[in-house]
Amino acid sequence: MLVKSIEKRVQELNGNLELSLDDIFYTVCQEYNLNAVVIEEALGCKCPFALIGFITTLKSADPGNYIQYKY
């Protein structure tokens, strides 16, 4: 469910020609409380489409390191 929601949001933002892929990556991470810095380090890039694949692989792993908790 989370992956589909993120994928849909990436597609929506990608339709906005004023946003770069970096902007989309950071926007989606912020909206879904994902730790963009840690995910960027794990991916080696700031590609929102790579983010979708990365989140898909987390379904069976512990996503705790990638979620940004709000205090």
Side-chain angles (χ1 to χ4, degrees), residues 1-10 32 52 55-56:
M1 182 64 96
L2 175 64
V3 174
K4 291 291 183 191
S5 180
I6 289 174
E7 187 174 18
K8 181 179 178 185
R9 186 63 177 139
V10 167
Y32 288 90
I52 294 167
I55 296 300
T56 301

Side-chain angles (χ1 to χ4, degrees), residues 23-34:
D23 293 336
I24 295 170
F25 177 85
Y26 285 118
T27 299
V28 170
C29 285
Q30 182 179 20
E31 288 178 357
Y32 288 90
N33 296 320
L34 300 173

Side-chain angles (χ1 to χ4, degrees), residues 3-60:
V3 174
K4 291 291 183 191
S5 180
I6 289 174
E7 187 174 18
K8 181 179 178 185
R9 186 63 177 139
V10 167
Q11 293 299 329
E12 289 170 356
L13 292 172
N14 193 42
N16 183 340
L17 298 177
E18 295 179 12
L19 293 176
S20 69
L21 291 179
D22 288 2
D23 293 336
I24 295 170
F25 177 85
Y26 285 118
T27 299
V28 170
C29 285
Q30 182 179 20
E31 288 178 357
Y32 288 90
N33 296 320
L34 300 173
N35 190 326
V37 173
V38 174
I39 294 173
E40 179 185 346
E41 289 174 4
L43 287 175
C45 65
K46 296 177 265 188
C47 176
F49 301 103
L51 173 64
I52 294 167
F54 183 74
I55 296 300
T56 301
T57 64
L58 288 180
K59 289 170 84 173
S60 61

